[in-house]
Amino acid sequence: MAATPLTTPQTPLLQKTHQSHAFLKPKTTFHCRTSPKPFSISCSSTIQDRPSLQSQSQDRVFNFAAGPATLPENVLLKAQAELYNWRGSGMSVMEMSHRGKDFRSIIEKAEADLRALLNVPEYYAVLFLQGGATTQFASVPLNLCQPDDTVDYLVTGSWGDKAFKEAKKYCKPKVVWNGKSENYVRVPSFDGLELSPNAKYLHICANETIYGVEFKNYPVPGNPNGVLVADMSSNFCSKPVDVTKFGLIYAGAQKNVGPSGVCIVIVRKDLIGNAQEITPVMLDYKIHADNNSLYNTPPCYGIYMCGLVFEDLLEQGGLEEVEKKNEKKAGILYNAIDESKGFYRCPVEKSVRSLMNVPFTLEKSELEAEFLKEAEKEKMVQLKGHRSVGGMRASIYNAMPLAGVERLVSFMKDFQAKHA
Ligand code: PMP
């Protein structure tokens, strides 16, 4: 009897996978005898190799969005393969108990891998929270100081400014430097800063996503007992970082390490437990730390995705390797801009240009709409700059393949040749 094609609820997943990815090659044929009638399954979706960072399947675009942003293709495929039945549990991650043992194993593995990636010492807690990085603009002052305490903010872009404004509700923040009058194009020299000798913390935004300004080294708080706090939302896990320089690091996941809805906080344990009285339980680090981030309903699927990304980064050789790739990608894009004889321009001071977010303007700003339209035709999307800056912005996070940046650079050169 001829083999009957098998249709299961997974079939669309298998078919989709087969159609979509050039690196998935036909491999084997199974003969299944558990059914009353024998049938065979031709399995065409074995993942043979992780896709190289150079490659991208045909039916995906190059997504240059600032976040939520592109995710590693092999991570998406792994999630796809595990979506219907997570590791033999008979259910998806979205269906399992958010405090049950399976999910606990997921969050524990995610934490262990993140600790390995960033070399996070035991005396730091790692929290997976809801609410995005914006929630941390309030949580940080609520947890680290009392209403009358002074804290310092070094403002190198609009996210740092937003963090400062939120902190005003909960303590006495002081702006020690503000780059706004220069349109946020640099980080100041740390020598001349007038830091408060009694500030509980000094806050920086390690990478300003909108303006593309990135700290390459870090200031030391003016108060010897104060700590450095960093919003690392848009360069988290893009390079090695010495965690011990910071009292607290926070990062919304949706740029480099996962989907929106998860925010990661790495905080020195001795700073936990002194929250202001008005702190809602959902913002209190102690409650989250005591309950391994499971007290409030955790964003389970997001944490699972972050875990897959951390695993992938470790497989890539860790953050030293990731940084080399990011330097290469950013290097070719900045070079193309700088060598365009002014057709394209990046206003940011060279020493602090972001490896993640590359803002650039067109000398002939009337060509911007055409630039975006033509780029989209070549499957490069979300290149429009933030409305507060204008121009273009290419966000080239870890998961943006080198091929995406190469295609953008080649497009930019062609576009210039056409319009010069
Ligand atoms: N900080 C930085 C540096 C950001 O880029 C963003 C978001 N784009 C935020 C904070 C706010 O994050 P969320 O949307 O997760 O609240």
Side-chain angles (χ1 to χ4, degrees):
M1 196 181 103
T4 320
L6 177 71
T7 307
T8 73
Q10 294 96 322
T11 304
L13 289 178
L14 292 171
Q15 285 171 342
K16 180 78 185 130
T17 306
H18 175 44
Q19 284 159 9
S20 307
H21 301 286
F23 59 91
L24 298 174
K25 300 212 181 92
K27 209 178 172 204
T28 187
T29 297
F30 298 99
H31 293 281
C32 179
R33 302 208 177 276
T34 53
S35 160
K37 289 184 186 169
F39 56 84
S40 67
I41 309 167
S42 287
C43 180
S44 315
S45 45
T46 304
I47 298 176
Q48 293 196 319
D49 291 306
R50 62 193 310 284
S52 101
L53 278 179
Q54 322 289 323
S55 71
Q56 173 99 340
S57 71
Q58 292 306 305
D59 57 357
R60 277 173 60 81
V61 292
F62 287 117
N63 178 4
F64 290 92
T70 192
L71 284 164
E73 209 173 33
N74 55 314
V75 163
L76 293 174
L77 290 170
K78 184 154 193 201
Q80 183 187 46
E82 294 185 337
L83 177 71
Y84 187 74
N85 180 355
W86 181 81
R87 299 186 194 176
S89 65
M91 62 179 79
S92 73
V93 173
M94 286 178 279
E95 296 164 297
M96 61 181 59
S97 161
H98 56 296
R99 296 189 192 98
K101 90 172 170 5
D102 280 344
F103 182 66
R104 255 185 284 137
S105 76
I106 289 174
I107 196 168
E108 281 166 9
K109 169 82 164 51
E111 176 175 338
D113 283 353
L114 178 58
R115 283 184 182 276
L117 268 177
L118 277 170
N119 235 334
V120 181
E122 220 7 78
Y123 58 94
Y124 283 76
V126 173
L127 310 176
F128 292 91
L129 307 176
Q130 295 198 19
T134 308
T135 307
Q136 294 309 312
F137 295 168
S139 299
V140 166
L142 279 167
N143 280 277
L144 300 195
C145 63
Q146 296 302 314
D148 286 333
D149 285 339
T150 305
V151 293
D152 284 343
Y153 279 71
L154 206 169
V155 177
T156 51
S158 46
W159 290 111
D161 187 51
K162 284 198 169 92
F164 159 72
K165 286 183 174 136
E166 184 70 3
K168 283 208 277 191
K169 298 176 188 167
Y170 308 110
C171 59
K172 307 230 169 333
K174 178 184 139 192
V175 173
V176 292
W177 188 84
N178 192 336
K180 186 163 187 187
S181 60
E182 304 167 4
N183 236 348
Y184 296 127
V185 289
R186 69 184 180 102
V187 170
S189 143
F190 302 147
D191 293 342
L193 294 176
E194 287 187 17
L195 299 168
S196 311
N198 55 348
K200 278 276 153 70
Y201 64 79
L202 166 62
H203 181 282
I204 61 167
C205 177
N207 184 67
E208 280 286 352
T209 321
I210 295 174
Y211 292 87
V213 174
E214 181 170 22
F215 282 75
K216 304 297 174 179
N217 46 45
Y218 303 103
V220 175
N223 176 1
N225 297 316
V227 294
L228 183 60
V229 171
D231 175 356
M232 287 195 186
S233 295
S234 49
N235 64 354
F236 191 59
C237 291
S238 65
K239 60 184 178 183
V241 163
D242 180 358
V243 171
T244 64
K245 287 193 169 146
F246 301 85
L248 187 147
I249 291 169
Y250 63 95
Q254 69 270 25
K255 289 138 197 324
N256 250 338
V257 296
S260 60
V262 185
C263 187
I264 294 156
V265 173
I266 301 174
V267 53
R268 231 172 56 197
K269 287 180 180 167
D270 62 293
L271 300 172
I272 298 177
N274 304 304
Q276 294 185 28
E277 234 173 88
I278 59 161
T279 308
V281 286
M282 61 194 291
L283 304 187
D284 191 326
Y285 295 148
K286 180 156 179 14
I287 291 171
H288 291 293
D290 289 349
N291 291 281
N292 297 326
S293 302
L294 301 179
Y295 180 79
N296 291 327
T297 304
C300 295
Y301 201 79
I303 294 169
Y304 158 73
M305 288 298 291
C306 290
L308 294 186
V309 171
F310 298 148
E311 200 173 74
D312 180 57
L313 294 174
L314 286 171
E315 280 166 16
Q316 283 184 46
L319 298 184
E320 279 88 3
E321 291 308 308
V322 169
E323 181 181 35
K324 280 185 210 152
K325 290 171 189 158
N326 286 332
E327 280 172 343
K328 182 167 182 190
K329 287 186 292 176
I332 63 170
L333 183 48
Y334 284 118
N335 276 346
I337 294 167
D338 292 342
E339 287 165 6
S340 72
K341 302 200 168 71
F343 189 84
Y344 303 107
R345 214 175 74 79
C346 172
V348 181
E349 245 182 34
K350 284 191 180 169
S351 62
V352 291
R353 284 178 170 179
S354 168
L355 294 187
M356 302 282 98
N357 311 98
V358 181
F360 60 96
T361 51
L362 271 68
E363 189 182 25
K364 302 175 182 169
S365 57
E366 66 278 12
L367 293 176
E368 283 175 6
E370 188 181 339
F371 182 97
L372 292 167
K373 205 169 113 210
E374 293 298 316
E376 202 156 329
K377 276 192 206 151
E378 295 196 25
K379 291 188 158 188
M380 292 175 287
V381 303
Q382 299 282 353
L383 281 161
K384 193 171 168 46
H386 191 272
R387 61 192 170 280
S388 59
V389 184
M392 306 295 150
R393 173 178 49 172
S395 293
I396 49 172
Y397 297 117
N398 290 350
M400 172 57 66
L402 177 62
V405 179
E406 285 171 342
R407 188 185 299 180
L408 175 60
V409 164
S410 132
F411 167 79
M412 286 165 69
K413 288 184 175 159
D414 288 350
F415 188 85
Q416 178 172 0
K418 214 160 96 187
H419 296 282

